[in-house]
Amino acid sequence: MNTFGDNIKLCVFGQSHAACIGVTIDGLPSGTQVDEEYVAKIMALRAPGNSAIATRRKEPDKVEFLSGVVDGKTVGTSVCAIIRNSDSHSSDYSGIFKKPRPSHADFPAYVRYGENFDLRGGGQFSGRLTAPICIAGAIALSNLEKIGVSVSCHVNSVGEVEDVPFSPTEDEKDLAEKLGGMAFPVIDEKAGEKMIETITKASEQLDSVGGVIECKITGLPTGLGEPMFCGIENVISRMMFGIPAVKGIEFGAGFAGSKLRGSQYNDSYYYDENGKVRTKTNNAGGICAGMATGMPVIFRVAIKPTPSIAKAQETVDLATCKNTVIEIKGRHDPCIASRASVVVRAAAAFAIYDLLQN
Amino acid sequence: MNTFGDNIKLCVFGQSHAACIGVTIDGLPSGTQVDEEYVAKIMALRAPGNSAIATRRKEPDKVEFLSGVVDGKTVGTSVCAIIRNSDSHSSDYSGIFKKPRPSHADFPAYVRYGENFDLRGGGQFSGRLTAPICIAGAIALSNLEKIGVSVSCHVNSVGEVEDVPFSPTEDEKDLAEKLGGMAFPVIDEKAGEKMIETITKASEQLDSVGGVIECKITGLPTGLGEPMFCGIENVISRMMFGIPAVKGIEFGAGFAGSKLRGSQYNDSYYYDENGKVRTKTNNAGGICAGMATGMPVIFRVAIKPTPSIAKAQETVDLATCKNTVIEIKGRHDPCIASRASVVVRAAAAFAIYDLLQN
Amino acid sequence: MNTFGDNIKLCVFGQSHAACIGVTIDGLPSGTQVDEEYVAKIMALRAPGNSAIATRRKEPDKVEFLSGVVDGKTVGTSVCAIIRNSDSHSSDYSGIFKKPRPSHADFPAYVRYGENFDLRGGGQFSGRLTAPICIAGAIALSNLEKIGVSVSCHVNSVGEVEDVPFSPTEDEKDLAEKLGGMAFPVIDEKAGEKMIETITKASEQLDSVGGVIECKITGLPTGLGEPMFCGIENVISRMMFGIPAVKGIEFGAGFAGSKLRGSQYNDSYYYDENGKVRTKTNNAGGICAGMATGMPVIFRVAIKPTPSIAKAQETVDLATCKNTVIEIKGRHDPCIASRASVVVRAAAAFAIYDLLQN
Amino acid sequence: MNTFGDNIKLCVFGQSHAACIGVTIDGLPSGTQVDEEYVAKIMALRAPGNSAIATRRKEPDKVEFLSGVVDGKTVGTSVCAIIRNSDSHSSDYSGIFKKPRPSHADFPAYVRYGENFDLRGGGQFSGRLTAPICIAGAIALSNLEKIGVSVSCHVNSVGEVEDVPFSPTEDEKDLAEKLGGMAFPVIDEKAGEKMIETITKASEQLDSVGGVIECKITGLPTGLGEPMFCGIENVISRMMFGIPAVKGIEFGAGFAGSKLRGSQYNDSYYYDENGKVRTKTNNAGGICAGMATGMPVIFRVAIKPTPSIAKAQETVDLATCKNTVIEIKGRHDPCIASRASVVVRAAAAFAIYDLLQN
């Protein structure tokens, strides 16, 4: 289902070649601020074509609020917001239907839906459908900011190039603000330059490359998170795998932590100078038993290389039942990590905002 | 919430020092087989004390079905099954309340619930609460077997020691069967021996160690998985983070895949000798756009080191507001990976079984 | 919440003075027919201004499908459909905010939402929001027809004037078809004329009048309905009270049946000439223990008199905290029963269609 | 499904001849009072055999809390409570399987479940399964009392005999308290005596009789109730139809109100001597647009005559495919209205308590 949330439910709709894509948001408390400028800012960061290495499509991703908002505030009924589709080149996708693109939705969707699905431009499986998540996430982000909750992301790695990680124990408010305005958010600008080189090189070789995004959330009330299946990790992970390219998620020390001993991993408690209980390390990523410990929540998601590459690839011809080769035309991002970082940030914000309504 | 599932809903209840722990399962189709021997077999594998390296507690984990099952079949109403608690040493936990154990639920639970929670033995946050998940999972496992779906797990690593991974492309039916009967499931027995050495050594040093569990699911119908937020990855990850020690999950090539180029990562399609569409590699872990590709579903979860260690640890005293030291008594597994592998298998089976009801 | 459905979820959005009203429908199986002409036909029957006694507003209620439908079929993603708002007279509602209209949402909404709600034209509480339900219901109706399930409604009474009831035991296919095309659906046309007289008289006296709608569903598979809280009665009643004017619902003999003895009420079984098990009477309204018995499902809903009347009414002035008098301007239906019968039919169809997906 | 609730989820389990019946309650805030004496008091009122006219079975309905409660308070995890089954006479039900009892679940359950259901004693469709609802409802009732919310019920009618109705506008606190302790709650004791005569006479004639229960809820915050499908009427009606004998529900003036004119029906607002906004009449039953108006919430449910009667009844023999006659042995209440009034009260309390968590 395209529906997410326990207290506030978002429902994503649309296909990349329908009249529009959009989202309904049911359950936003009446009087919740909807700052259309803030939403536009987030959409601009996610939009294609905003950096040298992104796809050349120029979709403005202009958001229209059709209902539920009056004078910048919700009125207690469902919010519906849409983005009209304009710049589509349907012909680019001719022939794909019978020659499934490797590592795309094409083949399982064909088996599942027969011919009853909309393949054009990735149809309902397009990365473009993360834009509606960003609308809901942007509303969440601006309202979280008001209550002192900050959500920020950076591109942690592209291929083998790594950025400096977030500090697991410090708040880094200034860094969060800086990253929030960057189209290609990195902590170490040098690393960022190398990443772009890596992406450019892959692109020139008709190829793509993957990456990792790191997300940090500060300001959560200690104890946030419901038991067992509705803890912070459960809801964030469920949300993250709704973003097409995500193939892994780890909190705190994550997989590296599994190699440690308990005495290395465990986060010792201490009283800081202000009498606040803190931990010396934060291998737990700010979460124990699904609940916020009061330390920053930190997680990383693995982003697979963009599956659409210009290089010839082996596949099957479902019409002739023979092995064949496909060359994918069209304009595709050689690396989705920077744009996905906006989506990860917005999606995490929505999941947390929903959890905070309990 | 302690409730999981869209079509079949399980609700876990109990604390480690309540009269019992258990589960209700609502929505199992009438006539579903409930093989109590099969359930007992799974519980025995998860039970403490079944290997040299596990905790010495001897809880039989005997499952009683209170309702919903007549003559080994469901009757269309909710199933309730319980495990009575017997072997509990409450006194082992005295004093913990005010000195939160590092990397345990204690501190956030204290802030969240005040004194209104049951800390004894980990209370509602105990790993013991994975036993009820195993009851539901065992029912799922035996019914999945009937329709040709196999779910198996092995301990992929303990500390730095690694087992041979599953083949991402072959079915390995015999291996699955063998692993299903092992208390410490590994593919390479030599690796298993080294893992046990590693665990024993940690234990002798009053310490613990983490690990990774790999899970493989074969026989799923191609196309299984609902759109966006109810794909295979969404539901499995949400379930996995319900297991207390899990801190990360990755599907297929996962985080390592994020370092690759598209031309390396993409799984080429081909017709095999039987005219079946398969992929040459399986970096996608058998899932594209949340849907089964027809190749084995493969994922790994990171298990943190057991937080309860006998070594002295720094913490705070919430009564005196001073920094202090804690030494945790009681019997604890120095590595939870082997027992958790049973839980991961059962939990994955339940999530898949629920998804298959759509 | 504005969300309804277990397998297929509809989410209603919009206010009477927003850009549009509409609905998203998540979970319609791929390939489900969406017959836009059929939808338009249902919308036309519900539309204001289609009979002498209805409000004089002339809103075309033209439905636009924004997503999820290609070539008259669903593609497996969420369907979004809207109706643009055009003919609104905002000024008619000036001053209402502080003088709550008796038996309207105004007062509780004011207390609940403060000034953060959209009162214009009834805002999110307008009967106009039943139009989106009709879109979803019309899709359900046309697909139910294909599998032999018929849903029909008539105006059972207006004030004291009663129509002939449905036969509780016969299928009456021809009658169902006839009623499906009537703007003021009645079985006995003479009764219909008297109803219109009653309504006209009320209208001339600046007043309104209530009524009862009877609904009949045939062709359901025996045994349909989930246990306890998801039986046919649970889901239909929950849906019906989503229609603003509904204040009661009864199945089969309903309240009159509560006066009977068991020997009078119980529906005896017999084999008919075709070897089918039927009941001689149908006091159960085709439902036992929440499940379809195979006999027609019959229920009635009580529709309160339209609260907006032109007569002066006593109310309070929330600005001055004094008792006062209100005269409601604007165009309002003196009796909502005929238009509501379309909504009841569509809403029942959606609830049943959702239940049939189990 | 046997699951109800948005914020607090109850899941009913058990059959009348299983080891026990019971309920899990997930989501009760930590620290919620669970007064076992109060629960026992409610169970005693519902228990069979507590008045001359009830079934002679003597089931103590002793509630055992298996988990989630420590020292009379919830600890934030799921509560599981059971009632063991003891006094069952399975042989009384022999032969029923093939001769469905009129107006019972037997026939649709047989078609739905084949032989995979538990018919003994009504199995999962027994009125006995309302006992677990009462456990959850009793917890809700005692906690609602603490915040000034009162829920009370009386037997409004049995057959043609009518009790005095609740005052729709006054609080009647003393009456509520009195009714809460009565096994056969009526306002006018003379009417109560006539009801018992009516029931006794029906019983002597091997027959049964139906009735109506009226419920009144005071103290709700004005504005309570979520939009459209989660208003007070939606959630209460969905819950009520989970009680096996309920066949209708009406709020306020209900069906009688549908005969009125708007000028008669509308509830005028006025400021009372304390400056509180009240309505002169309460035809809305305390609910407008799904939200509490601040006046008492009043609804009535129609209870059908007990279907199990000793008189011979016509039915079919599913084994021989012939028409036949059935005589139902066993002990059954000739009128369920008084015992059902306890269930209606508890069930309404749970639904309201759940709604209040928003």
Side-chain angles (χ1 to χ4, degrees), chain C residues 197-227:
Chain C
E197 275 173 41
T198 300
I199 296 167
T200 306
K201 198 167 157 194
S203 178
E204 286 166 0
Q205 296 174 351
L206 312 182
D207 214 335
S208 65
V209 64
V212 170
I213 294 162
E214 190 178 39
C215 181
K216 181 174 185 174
I217 308 172
T218 61
L220 295 181
T222 303
L224 181 76
E226 298 303 305

Short mmCIF file of all heavy atoms in Angstrom, two decimals, chain C residues 197-227:
data_model
loop_
_atom_site.label_atom_id
_atom_site.label_comp_id
_atom_site.label_asym_id
_atom_site.label_seq_id
_atom_site.Cartn_x
_atom_site.Cartn_y
_atom_site.Cartn_z
N GLU C 197 -44.79 16.37 -2.16
CA GLU C 197 -45.73 17.34 -1.58
C GLU C 197 -45.29 17.74 -0.17
O GLU C 197 -45.27 18.92 0.20
CB GLU C 197 -47.14 16.73 -1.46
CG GLU C 197 -47.97 16.83 -2.71
CD GLU C 197 -49.28 16.03 -2.55
OE1 GLU C 197 -49.88 16.08 -1.45
OE2 GLU C 197 -49.65 15.32 -3.51
N THR C 198 -44.97 16.74 0.62
CA THR C 198 -44.54 16.98 2.00
C THR C 198 -43.30 17.88 2.05
O THR C 198 -43.21 18.80 2.86
CB THR C 198 -44.22 15.63 2.69
OG1 THR C 198 -45.40 14.84 2.69
CG2 THR C 198 -43.74 15.84 4.12
N ILE C 199 -42.39 17.59 1.16
CA ILE C 199 -41.15 18.38 1.11
C ILE C 199 -41.43 19.80 0.65
O ILE C 199 -40.91 20.78 1.22
CB ILE C 199 -40.12 17.70 0.18
CG1 ILE C 199 -39.72 16.32 0.74
CG2 ILE C 199 -38.88 18.57 0.01
CD1 ILE C 199 -38.96 15.45 -0.24
N THR C 200 -42.24 19.91 -0.38
CA THR C 200 -42.57 21.24 -0.92
C THR C 200 -43.25 22.10 0.14
O THR C 200 -42.92 23.28 0.31
CB THR C 200 -43.50 21.09 -2.15
OG1 THR C 200 -42.89 20.19 -3.07
CG2 THR C 200 -43.73 22.43 -2.83
N LYS C 201 -44.15 21.47 0.87
CA LYS C 201 -44.86 22.19 1.92
C LYS C 201 -43.88 22.65 3.00
O LYS C 201 -43.95 23.81 3.46
CB LYS C 201 -45.91 21.25 2.53
CG LYS C 201 -47.00 21.96 3.30
CD LYS C 201 -48.14 21.02 3.61
CE LYS C 201 -48.95 21.50 4.83
NZ LYS C 201 -49.84 20.45 5.32
N ALA C 202 -43.01 21.78 3.41
CA ALA C 202 -42.01 22.15 4.42
C ALA C 202 -41.18 23.32 3.92
O ALA C 202 -40.92 24.30 4.64
CB ALA C 202 -41.10 20.96 4.75
N SER C 203 -40.78 23.25 2.65
CA SER C 203 -39.94 24.29 2.06
C SER C 203 -40.68 25.62 2.04
O SER C 203 -40.10 26.66 2.38
CB SER C 203 -39.55 23.86 0.64
OG SER C 203 -38.79 24.85 0.02
N GLU C 204 -41.94 25.59 1.66
CA GLU C 204 -42.74 26.83 1.62
C GLU C 204 -42.84 27.44 3.01
O GLU C 204 -42.93 28.66 3.16
CB GLU C 204 -44.13 26.52 1.08
CG GLU C 204 -44.11 26.27 -0.43
CD GLU C 204 -45.42 25.64 -0.92
OE1 GLU C 204 -46.31 25.41 -0.07
OE2 GLU C 204 -45.53 25.36 -2.13
N GLN C 205 -42.82 26.56 4.02
CA GLN C 205 -42.91 27.06 5.40
C GLN C 205 -41.53 27.33 6.00
O GLN C 205 -41.36 27.35 7.22
CB GLN C 205 -43.72 26.07 6.23
CG GLN C 205 -45.16 25.97 5.72
CD GLN C 205 -45.97 24.89 6.42
OE1 GLN C 205 -45.43 24.09 7.17
NE2 GLN C 205 -47.28 24.86 6.16
N LEU C 206 -40.54 27.48 5.12
CA LEU C 206 -39.15 27.79 5.52
C LEU C 206 -38.58 26.71 6.44
O LEU C 206 -37.74 26.98 7.29
CB LEU C 206 -39.08 29.16 6.21
CG LEU C 206 -39.79 30.31 5.52
CD1 LEU C 206 -39.58 31.61 6.30
CD2 LEU C 206 -39.30 30.47 4.08
N ASP C 207 -39.03 25.48 6.21
CA ASP C 207 -38.66 24.40 7.10
C ASP C 207 -38.06 23.25 6.29
O ASP C 207 -37.89 23.35 5.07
CB ASP C 207 -39.92 23.93 7.84
CG ASP C 207 -39.62 23.46 9.27
OD1 ASP C 207 -38.46 23.05 9.51
OD2 ASP C 207 -40.53 23.51 10.10
N SER C 208 -37.71 22.18 6.97
CA SER C 208 -37.16 21.01 6.29
C SER C 208 -37.81 19.78 6.90
O SER C 208 -38.56 19.87 7.87
CB SER C 208 -35.65 20.95 6.47
OG SER C 208 -35.33 20.74 7.84
N VAL C 209 -37.48 18.59 6.36
CA VAL C 209 -38.07 17.37 6.89
C VAL C 209 -37.09 16.20 6.69
O VAL C 209 -36.28 16.23 5.76
CB VAL C 209 -39.46 17.10 6.22
CG1 VAL C 209 -39.31 16.86 4.73
CG2 VAL C 209 -40.20 15.95 6.90
N GLY C 210 -37.18 15.23 7.59
CA GLY C 210 -36.28 14.08 7.52
C GLY C 210 -36.88 12.90 6.78
O GLY C 210 -37.97 13.00 6.20
N GLY C 211 -36.16 11.78 6.80
CA GLY C 211 -36.66 10.60 6.11
C GLY C 211 -35.85 9.37 6.46
O GLY C 211 -34.96 9.39 7.31
N VAL C 212 -36.23 8.28 5.81
CA VAL C 212 -35.53 7.01 6.00
C VAL C 212 -35.18 6.45 4.64
O VAL C 212 -35.96 6.57 3.69
CB VAL C 212 -36.41 6.00 6.80
CG1 VAL C 212 -35.79 4.60 6.79
CG2 VAL C 212 -36.60 6.48 8.23
N ILE C 213 -34.00 5.87 4.52
CA ILE C 213 -33.58 5.24 3.27
C ILE C 213 -33.41 3.75 3.53
O ILE C 213 -32.83 3.35 4.54
CB ILE C 213 -32.25 5.85 2.78
CG1 ILE C 213 -32.47 7.31 2.40
CG2 ILE C 213 -31.70 5.07 1.59
CD1 ILE C 213 -31.19 8.11 2.33
N GLU C 214 -33.95 2.96 2.60
CA GLU C 214 -33.78 1.51 2.73
C GLU C 214 -32.83 1.03 1.64
O GLU C 214 -32.90 1.49 0.50
CB GLU C 214 -35.14 0.81 2.60
CG GLU C 214 -35.06 -0.67 2.96
CD GLU C 214 -36.42 -1.38 2.88
OE1 GLU C 214 -37.19 -1.08 1.95
OE2 GLU C 214 -36.69 -2.22 3.73
N CYS C 215 -31.94 0.13 2.01
CA CYS C 215 -30.93 -0.37 1.08
C CYS C 215 -30.99 -1.89 1.04
O CYS C 215 -31.19 -2.54 2.06
CB CYS C 215 -29.54 0.09 1.53
SG CYS C 215 -28.19 -0.44 0.44
N LYS C 216 -30.81 -2.43 -0.15
CA LYS C 216 -30.89 -3.88 -0.34
C LYS C 216 -29.69 -4.34 -1.17
O LYS C 216 -29.40 -3.75 -2.21
CB LYS C 216 -32.18 -4.22 -1.07
CG LYS C 216 -32.41 -5.69 -1.31
CD LYS C 216 -33.79 -5.90 -1.91
CE LYS C 216 -34.14 -7.35 -2.08
NZ LYS C 216 -35.55 -7.50 -2.52
N ILE C 217 -29.04 -5.39 -0.69
CA ILE C 217 -27.87 -5.91 -1.39
C ILE C 217 -28.10 -7.39 -1.66
O ILE C 217 -28.35 -8.17 -0.74
CB ILE C 217 -26.59 -5.75 -0.54
CG1 ILE C 217 -26.46 -4.30 -0.05
CG2 ILE C 217 -25.35 -6.18 -1.31
CD1 ILE C 217 -25.32 -4.08 0.95
N THR C 218 -28.04 -7.77 -2.92
CA THR C 218 -28.23 -9.18 -3.26
C THR C 218 -26.98 -9.72 -3.96
O THR C 218 -26.18 -8.95 -4.51
CB THR C 218 -29.44 -9.39 -4.20
OG1 THR C 218 -29.20 -8.66 -5.40
CG2 THR C 218 -30.72 -8.91 -3.54
N GLY C 219 -26.84 -11.04 -3.91
CA GLY C 219 -25.74 -11.67 -4.64
C GLY C 219 -24.48 -11.87 -3.83
O GLY C 219 -23.47 -12.33 -4.37
N LEU C 220 -24.52 -11.55 -2.55
CA LEU C 220 -23.32 -11.74 -1.73
C LEU C 220 -23.08 -13.23 -1.48
O LEU C 220 -24.02 -13.98 -1.27
CB LEU C 220 -23.47 -11.04 -0.37
CG LEU C 220 -23.57 -9.53 -0.41
CD1 LEU C 220 -23.70 -8.99 1.01
CD2 LEU C 220 -22.35 -8.93 -1.09
N PRO C 221 -21.83 -13.64 -1.47
CA PRO C 221 -21.55 -15.04 -1.15
C PRO C 221 -21.90 -15.33 0.31
O PRO C 221 -21.56 -14.54 1.20
CB PRO C 221 -20.02 -15.16 -1.38
CG PRO C 221 -19.50 -13.77 -1.40
CD PRO C 221 -20.62 -12.88 -1.82
N THR C 222 -22.59 -16.43 0.54
CA THR C 222 -22.93 -16.83 1.91
C THR C 222 -21.64 -16.97 2.73
O THR C 222 -20.67 -17.56 2.26
CB THR C 222 -23.68 -18.18 1.89
OG1 THR C 222 -24.83 -18.02 1.06
CG2 THR C 222 -24.13 -18.58 3.30
N GLY C 223 -21.65 -16.45 3.92
CA GLY C 223 -20.46 -16.53 4.78
C GLY C 223 -19.60 -15.29 4.73
O GLY C 223 -18.67 -15.14 5.54
N LEU C 224 -19.87 -14.35 3.80
CA LEU C 224 -19.08 -13.12 3.74
C LEU C 224 -19.18 -12.37 5.07
O LEU C 224 -20.25 -12.26 5.65
CB LEU C 224 -19.60 -12.20 2.62
CG LEU C 224 -18.81 -10.90 2.46
CD1 LEU C 224 -17.48 -11.16 1.76
CD2 LEU C 224 -19.61 -9.85 1.69
N GLY C 225 -18.07 -11.79 5.50
CA GLY C 225 -18.06 -11.04 6.75
C GLY C 225 -17.03 -11.63 7.70
O GLY C 225 -16.99 -12.83 7.89
N GLU C 226 -16.19 -10.78 8.28
CA GLU C 226 -15.15 -11.26 9.19
C GLU C 226 -15.70 -11.28 10.62
O GLU C 226 -16.69 -10.65 10.92
CB GLU C 226 -13.93 -10.35 9.10
CG GLU C 226 -13.28 -10.34 7.72
CD GLU C 226 -12.87 -11.72 7.25
OE1 GLU C 226 -12.12 -12.38 7.98
OE2 GLU C 226 -13.31 -12.15 6.16
N PRO C 227 -15.01 -11.99 11.52
CA PRO C 227 -15.53 -12.13 12.87
C PRO C 227 -15.66 -10.82 13.65
O PRO C 227 -14.94 -9.87 13.39
CB PRO C 227 -14.51 -13.05 13.56
CG PRO C 227 -13.84 -13.76 12.48
CD PRO C 227 -13.82 -12.81 11.31
#
